[in-house]
Amino acid sequence: QVQLQESGPGLVKPSQTLSLTCTVSGGSITTNYYYWAWIRQPPGKGLEWIGSIGYSGSTNYSPSLKSRTSIFRDTSKNQFTLQLTSVTPEDTGVYYCARGVHSSSSVDYWGQGTQVTVSS
């Protein structure tokens, strides 16, 4: 059973950098065919794809966020981390980490999500 758990601050001030880490258990983030994603849902809006990192370490970012987004991993800890710079209140929402399978549009495992509020 693959499990994912988000961790990080729930409150971030505008202009600061949001950093969230996803800890994966029950599966390796370097296993072939899988990718590891960050997805968010602002209040009253739908899910938004932020980006992902593949089993080889390659990254893919949403065009609307890529200038502010960095995803990297620590294979020794089986973790991957999201960094989103220069945050504004529009970055407020529930952030999820998730696993997907290459060549599939569906995600098979999700973290429980963590609320992030950007406010001064």
Side-chain angles (χ1 to χ4, degrees), residues 34-115:
Y34 300 125
Y35 62 88
W36 307 89
W38 285 100
I39 302 161
R40 70 181 183 181
Q41 185 170 32
K45 298 182 180 180
L47 295 170
E48 180 183 19
W49 182 277
I50 300 170
S52 64
I53 185 166
Y55 58 85
S56 68
S58 62
T59 54
N60 185 265
Y61 303 125
S62 169
S64 64
L65 296 171
K66 62 182 179 181
S67 66
R68 299 193 290 129
T69 305
S70 179
I71 298 174
F72 58 93
R73 63 183 183 174
D74 184 339
T75 57
S76 68
K77 298 180 179 179
N78 214 37
Q79 296 176 330
F80 62 104
T81 295
L82 167 70
Q83 289 188 335
L84 185 66
T85 64
S86 302
V87 299
T88 73
E90 291 185 347
D91 293 311
T92 292
V94 178
Y95 284 70
Y96 301 91
C97 58
R99 188 187 81 166
V101 181
H102 283 288
S103 300
S104 174
S105 61
S106 298
V107 170
D108 58 357
Y109 288 96
W110 295 74
Q112 66 182 21
T114 185
Q115 172 69 43

Side-chain angles (χ1 to χ4, degrees), residues 9-31:
L11 181 63
V12 185
K13 294 183 181 298
S15 81
Q16 293 185 339
T17 296
L18 169 66
S19 183
L20 298 173
T21 295
C22 184
T23 300
V24 179
S25 61
S28 173
I29 61 174
T30 63
T31 298

